[in-house]
mmCIF file of all heavy atoms in Angstrom:
data_model
loop_
_atom_site.group_PDB
_atom_site.id
_atom_site.type_symbol
_atom_site.label_atom_id
_atom_site.label_comp_id
_atom_site.label_asym_id
_atom_site.label_seq_id
_atom_site.Cartn_x
_atom_site.Cartn_y
_atom_site.Cartn_z
ATOM 1 N N GLU A 308 -1.595 0.657 37.850
ATOM 2 C CA GLU A 308 -2.781 1.136 37.434
ATOM 3 C C GLU A 308 -3.145 2.525 38.158
ATOM 4 O O GLU A 308 -3.522 3.498 37.551
ATOM 5 C CB GLU A 308 -3.875 0.216 37.591
ATOM 6 C CG GLU A 308 -3.723 -0.882 36.543
ATOM 7 C CD GLU A 308 -5.107 -1.643 36.289
ATOM 8 O OE1 GLU A 308 -5.602 -2.316 37.260
ATOM 9 O OE2 GLU A 308 -5.683 -1.566 35.230
ATOM 10 N N GLU A 309 -2.852 2.524 39.354
ATOM 11 C CA GLU A 309 -3.192 3.765 40.170
ATOM 12 C C GLU A 309 -2.234 4.865 39.620
ATOM 13 O O GLU A 309 -2.676 6.025 39.392
ATOM 14 C CB GLU A 309 -2.863 3.551 41.641
ATOM 15 C CG GLU A 309 -3.418 4.753 42.457
ATOM 16 C CD GLU A 309 -2.947 4.633 43.921
ATOM 17 O OE1 GLU A 309 -2.644 3.556 44.453
ATOM 18 O OE2 GLU A 309 -2.875 5.717 44.562
ATOM 19 N N ALA A 310 -1.033 4.549 39.439
ATOM 20 C CA ALA A 310 -0.060 5.565 39.042
ATOM 21 C C ALA A 310 -0.427 6.092 37.577
ATOM 22 O O ALA A 310 -0.495 7.277 37.305
ATOM 23 C CB ALA A 310 1.439 5.003 38.971
ATOM 24 N N ALA A 311 -0.752 5.062 36.622
ATOM 25 C CA ALA A 311 -1.082 5.465 35.231
ATOM 26 C C ALA A 311 -2.238 6.312 35.277
ATOM 27 O O ALA A 311 -2.392 7.138 34.372
ATOM 28 C CB ALA A 311 -1.260 4.215 34.488
ATOM 29 N N SER A 312 -3.201 6.134 36.144
ATOM 30 C CA SER A 312 -4.391 6.974 36.207
ATOM 31 C C SER A 312 -4.143 8.463 36.396
ATOM 32 O O SER A 312 -4.841 9.281 36.084
ATOM 33 C CB SER A 312 -5.438 6.444 37.244
ATOM 34 O OG SER A 312 -4.893 6.877 38.519
ATOM 35 N N LYS A 313 -2.880 8.724 37.006
ATOM 36 C CA LYS A 313 -2.472 10.173 37.138
ATOM 37 C C LYS A 313 -1.909 10.753 35.922
ATOM 38 O O LYS A 313 -1.619 11.951 35.872
ATOM 39 C CB LYS A 313 -1.454 10.239 38.257
ATOM 40 C CG LYS A 313 -1.726 9.350 39.528
ATOM 41 C CD LYS A 313 -2.407 10.373 40.504
ATOM 42 C CE LYS A 313 -2.400 9.799 41.956
ATOM 43 N NZ LYS A 313 -3.609 8.921 42.051
ATOM 44 N N ALA A 314 -1.775 9.918 34.853
ATOM 45 C CA ALA A 314 -0.966 10.366 33.641
ATOM 46 C C ALA A 314 -1.736 11.463 32.909
ATOM 47 O O ALA A 314 -1.121 12.352 32.289
ATOM 48 C CB ALA A 314 -0.632 9.256 32.718
ATOM 49 N N VAL A 315 -3.046 11.343 32.891
ATOM 50 C CA VAL A 315 -3.710 12.180 31.893
ATOM 51 C C VAL A 315 -4.558 13.401 32.509
ATOM 52 O O VAL A 315 -5.407 14.012 31.848
ATOM 53 C CB VAL A 315 -4.703 11.259 31.052
ATOM 54 C CG1 VAL A 315 -3.863 10.411 30.236
ATOM 55 C CG2 VAL A 315 -5.661 10.546 31.856
ATOM 56 N N ASP A 316 -4.273 13.617 33.736
ATOM 57 C CA ASP A 316 -5.020 14.653 34.428
ATOM 58 C C ASP A 316 -4.969 16.080 33.640
ATOM 59 O O ASP A 316 -6.016 16.762 33.591
ATOM 60 C CB ASP A 316 -4.455 14.944 35.820
ATOM 61 C CG ASP A 316 -4.713 13.759 36.791
ATOM 62 O OD1 ASP A 316 -5.576 12.942 36.473
ATOM 63 O OD2 ASP A 316 -4.072 13.731 37.880
ATOM 64 N N THR A 317 -3.880 16.359 33.058
ATOM 65 C CA THR A 317 -3.785 17.558 32.300
ATOM 66 C C THR A 317 -3.991 17.496 30.853
ATOM 67 O O THR A 317 -3.719 18.432 30.076
ATOM 68 C CB THR A 317 -2.382 18.230 32.651
ATOM 69 O OG1 THR A 317 -1.411 17.397 32.102
ATOM 70 C CG2 THR A 317 -2.199 18.416 34.123
ATOM 71 N N ALA A 318 -4.452 16.346 30.310
ATOM 72 C CA ALA A 318 -4.632 16.105 28.949
ATOM 73 C C ALA A 318 -5.690 17.019 28.337
ATOM 74 O O ALA A 318 -6.699 17.250 28.897
ATOM 75 C CB ALA A 318 -4.802 14.733 28.661
ATOM 76 N N GLU A 319 -5.341 17.551 27.158
ATOM 77 C CA GLU A 319 -6.363 18.288 26.406
ATOM 78 C C GLU A 319 -6.565 17.619 25.073
ATOM 79 O O GLU A 319 -5.728 17.428 24.261
ATOM 80 C CB GLU A 319 -5.967 19.706 26.124
ATOM 81 C CG GLU A 319 -5.867 20.534 27.341
ATOM 82 C CD GLU A 319 -5.531 21.894 27.034
ATOM 83 O OE1 GLU A 319 -6.238 22.691 26.338
ATOM 84 O OE2 GLU A 319 -4.386 22.379 27.588
ATOM 85 N N LEU A 320 -7.808 17.006 24.922
ATOM 86 C CA LEU A 320 -8.054 16.135 23.849
ATOM 87 C C LEU A 320 -8.615 16.792 22.654
ATOM 88 O O LEU A 320 -9.402 17.699 22.745
ATOM 89 C CB LEU A 320 -9.040 15.061 24.275
ATOM 90 C CG LEU A 320 -8.637 14.278 25.634
ATOM 91 C CD1 LEU A 320 -9.707 13.254 26.084
ATOM 92 C CD2 LEU A 320 -7.251 13.690 25.444
ATOM 93 N N LEU A 321 -8.209 16.334 21.415
ATOM 94 C CA LEU A 321 -8.737 16.813 20.235
ATOM 95 C C LEU A 321 -9.752 15.823 19.618
ATOM 96 O O LEU A 321 -9.775 14.652 20.089
ATOM 97 C CB LEU A 321 -7.650 17.026 19.189
ATOM 98 C CG LEU A 321 -6.547 18.125 19.718
ATOM 99 C CD1 LEU A 321 -5.226 17.907 18.775
ATOM 100 C CD2 LEU A 321 -7.153 19.527 19.615
ATOM 101 N N ALA A 322 -10.377 16.158 18.478
ATOM 102 C CA ALA A 322 -11.317 15.262 17.938
ATOM 103 C C ALA A 322 -10.712 13.827 17.616
ATOM 104 O O ALA A 322 -11.346 12.843 17.745
ATOM 105 C CB ALA A 322 -12.067 15.865 16.720
ATOM 106 N N GLY A 323 -9.585 13.895 16.949
ATOM 107 C CA GLY A 323 -9.014 12.777 16.422
ATOM 108 C C GLY A 323 -8.150 11.949 17.341
ATOM 109 O O GLY A 323 -7.791 10.832 16.995
ATOM 110 N N ASN A 324 -7.824 12.530 18.550
ATOM 111 C CA ASN A 324 -6.920 11.792 19.295
ATOM 112 C C ASN A 324 -7.345 11.593 20.771
ATOM 113 O O ASN A 324 -6.536 11.279 21.557
ATOM 114 C CB ASN A 324 -5.551 12.545 19.374
ATOM 115 C CG ASN A 324 -5.543 13.923 20.053
ATOM 116 O OD1 ASN A 324 -6.568 14.200 20.786
ATOM 117 N ND2 ASN A 324 -4.534 14.714 20.049
ATOM 118 N N ALA A 325 -8.664 11.733 21.037
ATOM 119 C CA ALA A 325 -9.248 11.545 22.321
ATOM 120 C C ALA A 325 -8.873 10.202 22.916
ATOM 121 O O ALA A 325 -8.654 10.063 24.154
ATOM 122 C CB ALA A 325 -10.566 11.809 22.384
ATOM 123 N N PHE A 326 -8.678 9.235 22.049
ATOM 124 C CA PHE A 326 -8.457 7.812 22.600
ATOM 125 C C PHE A 326 -7.053 7.729 23.144
ATOM 126 O O PHE A 326 -6.812 6.782 24.010
ATOM 127 C CB PHE A 326 -8.553 6.902 21.396
ATOM 128 C CG PHE A 326 -7.426 7.049 20.353
ATOM 129 C CD1 PHE A 326 -6.335 6.176 20.472
ATOM 130 C CD2 PHE A 326 -7.474 7.896 19.360
ATOM 131 C CE1 PHE A 326 -5.335 6.290 19.564
ATOM 132 C CE2 PHE A 326 -6.428 8.056 18.458
ATOM 133 C CZ PHE A 326 -5.424 7.274 18.566
ATOM 134 N N LYS A 327 -6.165 8.688 23.010
ATOM 135 C CA LYS A 327 -4.867 8.637 23.585
ATOM 136 C C LYS A 327 -4.814 8.681 25.020
ATOM 137 O O LYS A 327 -3.912 8.279 25.675
ATOM 138 C CB LYS A 327 -3.955 9.756 22.965
ATOM 139 C CG LYS A 327 -3.551 9.424 21.494
ATOM 140 C CD LYS A 327 -2.514 10.430 21.054
ATOM 141 C CE LYS A 327 -1.997 10.144 19.621
ATOM 142 N NZ LYS A 327 -1.127 11.198 19.116
ATOM 143 N N ALA A 328 -5.900 9.345 25.684
ATOM 144 C CA ALA A 328 -5.918 9.324 27.108
ATOM 145 C C ALA A 328 -5.990 7.893 27.679
ATOM 146 O O ALA A 328 -5.124 7.531 28.554
ATOM 147 C CB ALA A 328 -7.149 10.069 27.542
ATOM 148 N N SER A 329 -6.836 7.132 27.121
ATOM 149 C CA SER A 329 -6.935 5.728 27.607
ATOM 150 C C SER A 329 -5.616 4.918 27.158
ATOM 151 O O SER A 329 -5.018 4.196 27.947
ATOM 152 C CB SER A 329 -8.158 5.043 26.903
ATOM 153 O OG SER A 329 -8.068 3.731 26.923
ATOM 154 N N LEU A 330 -5.233 5.215 25.870
ATOM 155 C CA LEU A 330 -3.969 4.467 25.449
ATOM 156 C C LEU A 330 -2.864 4.735 26.177
ATOM 157 O O LEU A 330 -2.036 3.840 26.469
ATOM 158 C CB LEU A 330 -3.951 4.777 23.912
ATOM 159 C CG LEU A 330 -2.767 3.964 23.258
ATOM 160 C CD1 LEU A 330 -3.042 2.442 23.330
ATOM 161 C CD2 LEU A 330 -2.697 4.318 21.756
ATOM 162 N N LEU A 331 -2.739 5.977 26.628
ATOM 163 C CA LEU A 331 -1.407 6.347 27.366
ATOM 164 C C LEU A 331 -1.417 5.606 28.751
ATOM 165 O O LEU A 331 -0.390 4.992 29.163
ATOM 166 C CB LEU A 331 -1.381 7.819 27.639
ATOM 167 C CG LEU A 331 -0.218 8.276 28.480
ATOM 168 C CD1 LEU A 331 1.191 7.810 27.895
ATOM 169 C CD2 LEU A 331 -0.238 9.733 28.815
ATOM 170 N N LYS A 332 -2.551 5.572 29.367
ATOM 171 C CA LYS A 332 -2.516 4.887 30.622
ATOM 172 C C LYS A 332 -2.281 3.444 30.446
ATOM 173 O O LYS A 332 -1.367 2.829 31.089
ATOM 174 C CB LYS A 332 -3.920 5.021 31.277
ATOM 175 C CG LYS A 332 -4.226 6.491 31.829
ATOM 176 C CD LYS A 332 -5.576 6.508 32.604
ATOM 177 C CE LYS A 332 -6.755 6.699 31.691
ATOM 178 N NZ LYS A 332 -8.010 6.808 32.266
ATOM 179 N N ARG A 333 -2.761 2.796 29.496
ATOM 180 C CA ARG A 333 -2.508 1.424 29.143
ATOM 181 C C ARG A 333 -1.114 1.141 28.806
ATOM 182 O O ARG A 333 -0.487 0.201 29.153
ATOM 183 C CB ARG A 333 -3.523 0.990 28.057
ATOM 184 C CG ARG A 333 -4.964 0.867 28.378
ATOM 185 C CD ARG A 333 -5.733 0.863 27.226
ATOM 186 N NE ARG A 333 -7.211 0.489 27.644
ATOM 187 C CZ ARG A 333 -7.569 -0.680 27.628
ATOM 188 N NH1 ARG A 333 -6.738 -1.700 27.336
ATOM 189 N NH2 ARG A 333 -8.896 -0.998 27.964
ATOM 190 N N THR A 334 -0.542 2.123 28.123
ATOM 191 C CA THR A 334 0.839 1.971 27.628
ATOM 192 C C THR A 334 1.846 2.046 28.804
ATOM 193 O O THR A 334 2.790 1.153 28.918
ATOM 194 C CB THR A 334 1.187 3.097 26.665
ATOM 195 O OG1 THR A 334 0.289 3.072 25.559
ATOM 196 C CG2 THR A 334 2.593 2.832 26.019
ATOM 197 N N ILE A 335 1.509 2.900 29.789
ATOM 198 C CA ILE A 335 2.370 2.991 30.986
ATOM 199 C C ILE A 335 2.206 1.725 31.794
ATOM 200 O O ILE A 335 3.237 1.123 32.258
ATOM 201 C CB ILE A 335 1.897 4.172 31.887
ATOM 202 C CG1 ILE A 335 2.263 5.505 31.070
ATOM 203 C CG2 ILE A 335 2.660 4.151 33.153
ATOM 204 C CD1 ILE A 335 1.690 6.734 31.688
ATOM 205 N N VAL A 336 1.001 1.210 31.980
ATOM 206 C CA VAL A 336 0.873 -0.046 32.730
ATOM 207 C C VAL A 336 1.635 -1.194 32.002
ATOM 208 O O VAL A 336 2.342 -1.942 32.683
ATOM 209 C CB VAL A 336 -0.611 -0.409 32.923
ATOM 210 C CG1 VAL A 336 -0.811 -1.778 33.455
ATOM 211 C CG2 VAL A 336 -1.379 0.557 33.713
ATOM 212 N N ARG A 337 1.484 -1.278 30.716
ATOM 213 C CA ARG A 337 2.203 -2.318 30.007
ATOM 214 C C ARG A 337 3.790 -2.197 30.180
ATOM 215 O O ARG A 337 4.415 -3.201 30.476
ATOM 216 C CB ARG A 337 1.772 -2.211 28.552
ATOM 217 C CG ARG A 337 2.553 -3.293 27.662
ATOM 218 C CD ARG A 337 2.066 -3.270 26.279
ATOM 219 N NE ARG A 337 2.942 -4.211 25.383
ATOM 220 C CZ ARG A 337 2.780 -4.392 24.135
ATOM 221 N NH1 ARG A 337 1.861 -3.728 23.507
ATOM 222 N NH2 ARG A 337 3.583 -5.182 23.547
ATOM 223 N N ALA A 338 4.201 -1.011 30.094
ATOM 224 C CA ALA A 338 5.665 -0.840 30.155
ATOM 225 C C ALA A 338 6.148 -1.220 31.504
ATOM 226 O O ALA A 338 7.176 -1.914 31.787
ATOM 227 C CB ALA A 338 6.022 0.595 29.825
ATOM 228 N N LEU A 339 5.315 -0.814 32.537
ATOM 229 C CA LEU A 339 5.829 -1.158 34.012
ATOM 230 C C LEU A 339 5.721 -2.653 34.213
ATOM 231 O O LEU A 339 6.571 -3.350 34.862
ATOM 232 C CB LEU A 339 4.925 -0.561 34.987
ATOM 233 C CG LEU A 339 5.192 1.110 34.994
ATOM 234 C CD1 LEU A 339 4.081 1.797 35.737
ATOM 235 C CD2 LEU A 339 6.542 1.354 35.747
ATOM 236 N N LEU A 340 4.660 -3.359 33.679
ATOM 237 C CA LEU A 340 4.517 -4.702 33.767
ATOM 238 C C LEU A 340 5.760 -5.510 33.022
ATOM 239 O O LEU A 340 6.214 -6.486 33.550
ATOM 240 C CB LEU A 340 3.167 -5.227 33.167
ATOM 241 C CG LEU A 340 1.951 -4.925 34.001
ATOM 242 C CD1 LEU A 340 0.711 -5.302 33.177
ATOM 243 C CD2 LEU A 340 1.985 -5.648 35.294
ATOM 244 N N GLU A 341 5.968 -4.999 31.837
ATOM 245 C CA GLU A 341 7.088 -5.683 31.178
ATOM 246 C C GLU A 341 8.456 -5.517 31.793
ATOM 247 O O GLU A 341 9.270 -6.363 31.873
ATOM 248 C CB GLU A 341 7.080 -5.123 29.697
ATOM 249 C CG GLU A 341 5.967 -5.642 28.824
ATOM 250 C CD GLU A 341 6.093 -5.289 27.415
ATOM 251 O OE1 GLU A 341 7.036 -4.720 26.872
ATOM 252 O OE2 GLU A 341 5.039 -5.630 26.645
ATOM 253 N N LEU A 342 8.597 -4.299 32.440
ATOM 254 C CA LEU A 342 9.791 -4.007 33.157
ATOM 255 C C LEU A 342 9.982 -4.939 34.349
ATOM 256 O O LEU A 342 11.094 -5.404 34.738
ATOM 257 C CB LEU A 342 9.897 -2.548 33.505
ATOM 258 C CG LEU A 342 11.171 -2.093 34.263
ATOM 259 C CD1 LEU A 342 12.352 -2.309 33.345
ATOM 260 C CD2 LEU A 342 11.044 -0.641 34.714
ATOM 261 N N THR A 343 8.861 -5.150 35.011
ATOM 262 C CA THR A 343 8.910 -5.967 36.276
ATOM 263 C C THR A 343 8.499 -7.377 35.970
ATOM 264 O O THR A 343 8.011 -8.082 36.932
ATOM 265 C CB THR A 343 7.997 -5.299 37.325
ATOM 266 O OG1 THR A 343 6.757 -5.261 36.811
ATOM 267 C CG2 THR A 343 8.611 -3.914 37.681
ATOM 268 N N GLU A 344 8.554 -7.858 34.732
ATOM 269 C CA GLU A 344 8.163 -9.192 34.324
ATOM 270 C C GLU A 344 6.843 -9.531 34.846
ATOM 271 O O GLU A 344 6.639 -10.502 35.485
ATOM 272 C CB GLU A 344 9.286 -10.166 34.669
ATOM 273 C CG GLU A 344 10.393 -10.164 33.797
ATOM 274 C CD GLU A 344 11.696 -10.657 34.357
ATOM 275 O OE1 GLU A 344 11.629 -11.594 35.310
ATOM 276 O OE2 GLU A 344 12.817 -10.150 34.061
ATOM 277 N N GLY A 345 5.966 -8.730 34.610
ATOM 278 C CA GLY A 345 4.565 -9.004 34.981
ATOM 279 C C GLY A 345 4.093 -8.624 36.368
ATOM 280 O O GLY A 345 3.043 -9.069 36.875
#
Side-chain angles (χ1 to χ4, degrees):
Chain A
E308 287 200 291
E309 189 191 334
S312 72
K313 312 263 192 279
V315 293
D316 290 346
T317 61
E319 290 182 65
L320 308 177
L321 301 166
N324 70 8
F326 69 97
K327 284 186 179 177
S329 162
L330 185 59
L331 175 59
K332 288 186 276 182
R333 291 160 167 273
T334 307
I335 292 169
V336 171
R337 176 174 174 186
L339 290 166
L340 287 171
E341 288 187 4
L342 181 62
T343 55
E344 280 157 33

